[in-house]
Each structure stands twice: as structure tokens, then as C-alpha cells.
Amino acid sequence: MNRKYGRVLNINLGDRSSSPMEIGEEILKKYIGGAGLSAYLYSQLVKEDIPPLDPRSPFIIMTGPLTGTPVVLSGRHGVAGRSPLTGFWGEASVGGHWGRELRRTGYDGMIVLGKADRPVYLVLKDERLEIKDAAHLWGKDCFQTDQILIKEYGDKAQVSSIGPAAEKGVRYCGVFTDGTDARTAGRCGLGTLMGAKNLKAIVVQGTGEIPVENLESLRARMKELVPNLTGKMKGMSAFGTPGVVIPCESLGDMPVRNWGQGKYTEGAQKLSGQVMKEKYLKKQFFCASCPVGCGRVVGGTIDPALEETGGPEYETLAMLGSNLLVDDMQAVMRLNELTNRLGMDTIETGSVVGFCMELYEKGLIGPKELGELDLKWGNAQAAEGLIRMIANREGFGDVLAEGLKVTAEKVGGMASEYAVQMNNMALPAHDPRAYASLALVYATSPRGPCHTSAFTFWFERAATFPELGIDKVLDRFQSEGKPEIVMNIQNAVSVWEILCRCKFSILGGVQMKDICSWLKDVVGWDFSTQEFLEVGERGINLKRKLNVGWGMSRKNDTLPLRILTHRVDDGGCGRHLPPFNIMLADYYEKRGWNKEGIPTEETIKRLNI
């Protein structure tokens, strides 16, 4: 094994100390990298119930062994820790170029402990770490922070930062990279965890070579793969994720009016990837090692001097667009840019605004909470005002900054009926009423409701996965057999997560056997597909074990009543509702969890956790 993989830098901001750590081969083969290895490191570091924002709570950054190598679509890294939003396991991954640059410094990850006595930022140049005063950065938005630091350290440096909302402790802030292109590790509030440590930014700049054992073989494999992959992903290259707006709406998959409406055909047309490309697209954004370029680059909307910024993805077009009945592309672009600058998760932010619009409509909040904001459906200007209130924790925004569940409990009355959340975390922009599997995916995802933890809806719409026995597109409304399918796909997609690979590569035809061959070329490990799937399964069960230690059980594995019991007859999913409890009970049995959703001793022993 190449000993250069598995080097992690431990940093304590409390006493400003740091030290390198080498992770042994036995542990690396069990968890590999990314979110799986992060969960293992957390389990070793924390042996008691520490609140998410306690200085002793670790903030973990991790790459994978393929990150930054010639392997295509491998330019990602992840952040992890205990979520300030849910109180359970939190993880988020992000593309761009920061992860590759971290590996060039000679490190594959960081663990940040403690809390600085004043705002600081980190600079890691190759293996030399500096902890620097961030007084001139504190209060700056994510774009401004990146611009200041790039000016100081040069264009080759990569910056990861938080915005002013995270500084103020808004519970659903992300970690942002790549400047105005705003690549975001958005979910679970891990930017909030970073802010609680008084850590504003991390600058990385490396000159080292990322080690590959058999570079010639790996390059030959990539040469063979790329034409087929880019051919299958032409649509993604042309329109990015906004290209799925129209089909998602037609299938009843796109949230409309706080998940209470099914049809939004004309609005979806206005928010489509086709319209974005025709009227607003300036160029594509390519993450490191990516020949596809699904990222959108559009014009700035807030600062006239900003010529280019990252355009909204599908999730943002849905949560800050259709979910609010805002059908103006420029208005959604502005809300997206504002939320990115402030450093907040667009999914969570859009859900909170939609929730408030419904509360306003029902008369549960008004001028007392909102002042002069006329928070009617479709009012993008009022939505912008509310987002600024949240980011600054002003008035009612101070309550909303705590999340949907907390706000609903404080408002009282019928408010909880309109909060589309699980364990205080908003649902992403895909509707379980449109796909039977999604209800189960959301309920059992280690980090909370998450469509990317399995992507089962791909296989209920258009894709196949022959290595998992999915040789034809599945019936999206059929529940029979779905628990086992969900479990198997979760295990497989977990492999993509621990390797920090772009999951869109699955749509490009990448198979498990391909990943096995790449890993052998890079670090010399000879994994079979089944062994890889077991690594994915181990990571899922370790995260579940952590969550159980924080109080998670069957009571947490449920969905909002609006999703389970309210039909949206006018949309593409008709009158379908997921038969959730039956699927969940079968899933527990397949997973080797007891009836309360807790991994059995036999399962823990079998996976050697």
C-alpha cells in the first residue's frame, strides 16, 4: 500500500496545536475514506454524548483515494460531524477543486477540534499549517471571503469558507468552495459547526503529486471510459441538473406550494434548464477531473460588478422556485445568489420560506412576526427579505434560524402540519408520492431525508443497475421488493460516497467492477464488488449506531403527514401514497435491525464494527 494515502491532519483551535496522523491499512480497507472513514474517526474521538456545537465536537473533512487522480468525476470531498440542525449524524459532499488541492498538500483529510478565542482561518501550504487572524473576514459573505483570500494567496490556492449566517449560528449553513461558482456542502448545517469553532475559512495550496501505483494502466482505462461516459451524459452537460425540471414536474416529483400542489406545468417551463441555457447561461462549470461540466454559470444579480456566478441547480429551482410559486428565473437566480453569499443551504432555506408563506396564508403569522413583508405565494422580494431576516437572526428570523420543527413548535396550533421536515431537516426536492422507494430512502438515510443517499428514483424512472440485479426500469408505484432494492442501492451508493466520487457517474455507465479496477491501480487494493458493497454497508450501520447512541429509533424513521397522507390529485403522481410502514418493517428485517430500528448484535459482529 502507498503510505501517502491515509494521512490526516489533526488541528486543535483551542490551543492552536496540530499534528499529522497516519491511518493504518486495516482501518482504511474497512472504511476507505469520505463519509465512512469520517464516521469511524468520529466514533474513535468521541466516547460521550457531546452536543453538536460543543468545542469538543469534531469537524471532519475527508477525501477518498481516487480524489484528484486521473479518475474522471473524482474531484469531490466531504465534511462531517454531528449535525447542529438534527442532533444526529451529519455529512455533506461537494465538488469543485478544493479536495484535489488538499491532497496535493500531502494530506487526505483534516479533523478540527476546539474553538478559537477569536475568528481565525487556516492556511495549509503543502505540509505547513498556519492559524491566522480572521478579523478582516468575519462578517464578509462567501464570495467576498474567497476574493480577499485569493488576492492574498494567489489563483492557485483553493478556499473553503462559511458565510455570515453561519457566524450567527443559523442551523442550516453550508461550507462553500470555488468562489462565486459556489460549490456547496450544503446539508446538515456543517457550516454552522465550522462557525461555532470561530473558523471562517480554510485555504489549501499544494505542490505535491497525488500518488498512483499504476498510472499507465489507470490512464488507459480512462481513455477507454470517457467517450462512452460523456456520450451518455450529453443531456447533463447541455442543461445540468436544471434539465430535469420539466420531467420532474410532469411526474409529480417536484415540490409545489410547500408540497401541497401537484401541477405546475407553465411554471416549470419557465424554470427549466432549456430556458436557462437559452437566456442566461454564460458557460459551464467543470469540477476537477470532470469532462461533463454540469455546473451552470450565469450573470450576477445582486452586485452589478459581478459578471458571473453559479446558477441554481434543480434542487434550488424547486425549493426557491416552484415550492414558493416563484416562476421567474431571474428572481430564483437572485435568491440563489443571496443564499450562497450568506452561506445557507438553499434546500432548507426554500423549505423554511415556503413553510412561512403557508403560515402567512393561514393567518398563523403576520405583521407581528414579519413586519411589512407581504409574504404571499410568489412574492420573491418578500422571500428575499425573509432570508435576510433569518441570516441576521432578526425578529422572527431568530426563530426560523433554528429550523422547521423548532419553529412549528413555537408557533403552535396547526403549524406542525405545514412543516415538511424530518427530525428538523427539510425534505429535498423529490416527492416520495411520485416514487415508492423514496419514502424508505428518506426515513433510513443516515444523515436525514436525502435523495442522494440512494438515488433509487433513477431506477424507477429511466436507469438500470445490472450489478444489483436491476436489469429493467422499476415500477415507480410498486412497493413489493423495494425494501431489499433500497438496501442494496444504499450500500452501492455508499461506495460512491466513501470514495468521494460524483454519483452522476452511475448515469454515465460506471459500474462497481470499474471502481474495483481503479482502486487497484491507485492504491493496489484488490477488492471484489461484494467486498466493496460490504464496506458501504459497514459505513451505513456505523452511522446508524452513532445515531442510536444519540436517541434515534423507529420513532424517528417517519415522514411528514403531508407526504404520507395528503394526495396531490392534480399532479403526475395522481392519488398515489407510499405504503410506508410495511416497507419499513421489511427493510429492518433485511438490514438486520430489530423492530425498533437498531442494528442487532449479530449485524454489528458480522460487519466487524
Side-chain angles (χ1 to χ4, degrees):
M1 174 194 162
N2 194 317
R3 295 303 302 171
K4 288 188 178 180
Y5 175 65
R7 296 190 73 227
V8 174
L9 183 61
N10 288 305
I11 304 164
N12 191 311
L13 295 178
D15 62 13
R16 295 184 173 239
S17 64
S18 64
S19 61
M21 174 177 68
E22 297 273 358
I23 301 173
E25 182 174 9
E26 181 181 354
I27 296 301
L28 290 174
K29 285 187 173 181
K30 284 179 65 177
Y31 297 101
I32 297 183
L37 185 58
S38 294
Y40 169 78
L41 293 171
Y42 187 102
S43 71
Q44 299 304 298
L45 285 166
V46 182
K47 299 297 185 182
E48 56 184 300
D49 189 350
I50 295 174
L53 300 182
D54 188 287
R56 296 169 294 170
S57 182
F59 173 71
I60 303 172
I61 307 171
M62 195 59 58
T63 63
L66 305 183
T67 302
T69 70
V71 174
V72 294
L73 279 71
S74 60
R76 301 184 69 82
H77 69 279
V79 295
R82 189 173 179 184
S83 167
L85 181 63
T86 68
F88 295 116
W89 176 252
E91 63 184 57
S93 66
V94 57
H97 301 84
W98 194 94
R100 178 177 66 181
E101 198 66 21
L102 174 64
R103 291 211 70 199
R104 286 174 172 169
T105 69
Y107 287 103
D108 306 305
M110 291 180 173
I111 300 171
V112 183
L113 294 165
K115 178 180 181 179
D117 58 0
R118 60 185 181 277
V120 298
Y121 69 100
L122 305 178
V123 180
L124 179 63
K125 286 190 174 182
D126 289 321
E127 297 189 12
R128 183 170 179 264
L129 178 74
E130 293 182 87
I131 301 176
K132 310 200 75 168
D133 185 87
H136 64 302
L137 301 173
W138 206 249
K140 296 289 193 296
D141 70 35
C142 292
F143 293 6
Q144 293 166 334
T145 300
D146 183 88
Q147 289 163 356
I148 291 169
L149 292 173
I150 291 298
K151 185 176 181 180
E152 184 171 351
Y153 294 99
D155 292 339
K156 292 184 178 180
Q158 294 293 328
V159 178
S160 180
S161 69
I162 59 170
E167 297 171 15
K168 292 181 171 66
V170 175
R171 296 270 175 172
Y172 36 94
C173 292
V175 181
F176 288 71
T177 71
D178 289 78
T180 57
D181 286 301
R183 300 294 96 184
T184 314
R187 306 239 65 195
C188 300
L190 294 165
T192 313
L193 175 58
M194 189 169 157
K197 297 185 175 300
N198 272 337
L199 179 57
K200 178 65 175 178
I202 306 173
V203 181
V204 291
Q205 188 172 0
T207 58
E209 292 288 332
I210 298 171
V212 175
E213 286 207 351
N214 194 336
L215 186 59
E216 185 178 341
S217 172
L218 187 65
R219 284 176 172 164
R221 295 184 197 276
M222 292 304 109
K223 186 177 181 180
E224 181 180 353
L225 170 77
V226 168
N228 183 55
L229 181 141
T230 53
K232 289 183 176 180
M233 299 185 74
K234 281 184 179 178
M236 186 67 75
S237 181
F239 303 111
T241 59
V244 304
V245 165
I246 292 175
C248 282
E249 186 279 334
S250 69
L251 292 165
D253 183 31
M254 190 172 181
V256 183
R257 196 176 176 133
N258 197 29
W259 303 85
Q261 179 177 319
K263 194 171 184 179
Y264 197 60
T265 305
E266 292 183 6
Q269 293 283 346
K270 295 177 182 178
L271 297 175
S272 68
Q274 290 77 2
V275 167
M276 184 182 291
K277 182 175 182 180
E278 179 183 342
K279 294 185 176 182
Y280 304 105
L281 187 69
K282 289 181 173 290
K283 63 182 182 181
Q284 296 168 252
F285 175 84
F286 292 80
C287 295
S289 306
C290 179
V292 177
C294 73
R296 308 291 91 182
V297 179
V298 298
T301 59
I302 294 174
D303 180 358
L306 182 62
E307 295 182 0
E308 297 179 350
T309 185
E313 301 281 350
Y314 164 76
E315 299 290 326
T316 305
L317 289 164
M319 299 311 297
L320 288 172
S322 62
N323 195 51
L324 312 184
L325 297 189
V326 174
D327 62 2
D328 184 312
M329 179 70 83
Q330 282 190 303
V332 178
M333 285 165 49
R334 182 177 174 87
L335 292 175
N336 175 63
E337 182 184 334
L338 174 65
T339 308
N340 287 339
R341 283 177 174 274
L342 295 171
M344 296 158 64
D345 173 19
T346 58
I347 294 175
E348 204 75 40
T349 302
S351 190
V352 168
V353 175
F355 166 64
C356 286
M357 285 182 168
E358 187 157 3
L359 292 181
Y360 185 74
E361 177 188 43
K362 299 290 173 55
L364 292 175
I365 59 174
K368 178 182 175 182
E369 292 82 11
L370 302 174
E372 296 182 357
L373 289 182
D374 184 19
L375 205 61
K376 291 180 180 178
W377 295 109
N379 190 336
Q381 187 175 359
E384 179 177 333
L386 187 64
I387 291 170
R388 292 185 186 277
M389 283 176 60
I390 295 168
N392 292 318
R393 282 188 171 268
E394 294 176 349
F396 190 55
D398 190 43
V399 179
L400 295 171
E402 294 296 312
L404 287 162
K405 181 181 179 182
V406 175
T407 300
E409 290 170 349
K410 290 190 176 182
V411 172
M414 292 285 287
S416 292
E417 293 284 341
Y418 315 130
V420 184
Q421 55 81 29
M422 297 165 59
N423 301 314
N424 204 35
M425 185 171 169
L427 268 62
H430 293 281
D431 197 327
R433 292 169 292 191
Y435 302 100
S437 68
L438 264 182
L440 202 52
V441 171
Y442 285 177
T444 60
S445 165
R447 73 171 183 176
C450 171
H451 62 297
T452 66
S453 69
F455 276 133
T456 56
F457 61 95
W458 281 353
F459 311 109
E460 291 174 308
R461 184 167 72 196
T464 60
F465 205 145
E467 288 178 302
L468 297 183
I470 303 174
D471 298 311
K472 62 180 181 179
V473 177
L474 303 170
D475 184 332
R476 67 187 179 116
F477 294 139
Q478 179 180 322
S479 60
E480 185 179 355
K482 289 292 172 65
E484 185 171 9
I485 289 171
V486 167
M487 179 188 71
N488 290 337
I489 295 176
Q490 282 177 330
N491 292 346
V493 173
S494 180
V495 171
W496 264 254
E497 195 67 51
I498 61 183
L499 288 170
C500 297
R501 283 194 48 72
C502 177
K503 294 168 187 173
F504 291 149
S505 62
I506 299 173
L507 297 179
V510 172
Q511 301 177 61
M512 296 287 296
K513 65 179 183 180
D514 297 319
I515 291 178
C516 292
S517 66
W518 302 341
L519 193 69
K520 186 173 183 180
D521 280 345
V522 173
V523 290
W525 298 344
D526 197 0
F527 271 71
S528 67
T529 294
Q530 190 54 47
E531 287 171 330
F532 239 141
L533 289 171
E534 187 172 292
V535 174
E537 182 184 7
R538 181 178 295 115
I540 289 170
N541 278 272
L542 174 57
K543 294 168 196 175
R544 183 69 178 194
K545 185 180 178 184
L546 287 170
N547 281 335
V548 168
W550 294 320
M552 179 174 282
S553 64
R554 169 65 183 84
K555 69 183 184 301
N556 301 95
D557 295 348
T558 189
L559 275 78
L561 289 178
R562 174 161 290 186
I563 301 300
L564 289 177
T565 65
H566 292 210
R567 291 188 174 98
V568 280
D569 307 54
D570 63 322
C573 59
R575 294 177 60 79
H576 176 257
L577 294 173
F580 174 64
N581 285 337
I582 294 173
M583 289 195 296
L584 185 65
D586 291 344
Y587 176 91
Y588 284 172
E589 290 181 4
K590 296 290 183 182
R591 263 281 175 228
W593 297 355
N594 67 20
K595 293 179 180 179
E596 285 72 45
I598 299 171
T600 64
E601 291 184 12
E602 291 80 5
T603 297
I604 296 297
K605 184 177 181 181
R606 175 176 62 82
L607 294 171
N608 191 21
I609 294 175

PDB file of all heavy atoms in Angstrom, residues 41 158 329:
ATOM      1  N   LEU A  41     -13.694   7.789  12.369  1.00  0.00           N
ATOM      2  CA  LEU A  41     -12.853   8.701  13.142  1.00  0.00           C
ATOM      3  C   LEU A  41     -13.650   9.381  14.252  1.00  0.00           C
ATOM      4  O   LEU A  41     -13.167   9.529  15.375  1.00  0.00           O
ATOM      5  CB  LEU A  41     -12.221   9.745  12.218  1.00  0.00           C
ATOM      6  CG  LEU A  41     -11.208   9.196  11.210  1.00  0.00           C
ATOM      7  CD1 LEU A  41     -10.816  10.263  10.197  1.00  0.00           C
ATOM      8  CD2 LEU A  41      -9.973   8.642  11.914  1.00  0.00           C
ATOM      9  N   GLN A 158      -6.946  27.293  -3.110  1.00  0.00           N
ATOM     10  CA  GLN A 158      -8.369  26.970  -3.066  1.00  0.00           C
ATOM     11  C   GLN A 158      -8.901  27.308  -1.676  1.00  0.00           C
ATOM     12  O   GLN A 158      -8.261  26.994  -0.667  1.00  0.00           O
ATOM     13  CB  GLN A 158      -8.605  25.495  -3.388  1.00  0.00           C
ATOM     14  CG  GLN A 158      -8.255  25.106  -4.811  1.00  0.00           C
ATOM     15  CD  GLN A 158      -9.175  25.752  -5.827  1.00  0.00           C
ATOM     16  OE1 GLN A 158     -10.348  25.994  -5.565  1.00  0.00           O
ATOM     17  NE2 GLN A 158      -8.641  26.033  -7.021  1.00  0.00           N
ATOM     18  N   MET A 329     -37.285  33.083 -13.563  1.00  0.00           N
ATOM     19  CA  MET A 329     -35.923  32.537 -13.480  1.00  0.00           C
ATOM     20  C   MET A 329     -34.950  33.538 -12.868  1.00  0.00           C
ATOM     21  O   MET A 329     -34.117  33.175 -12.016  1.00  0.00           O
ATOM     22  CB  MET A 329     -35.442  32.120 -14.865  1.00  0.00           C
ATOM     23  CG  MET A 329     -34.021  31.569 -14.904  1.00  0.00           C
ATOM     24  SD  MET A 329     -33.855  29.946 -14.104  1.00  0.00           S
ATOM     25  CE  MET A 329     -34.384  28.872 -15.451  1.00  0.00           C
TER      26      MET A 329
END
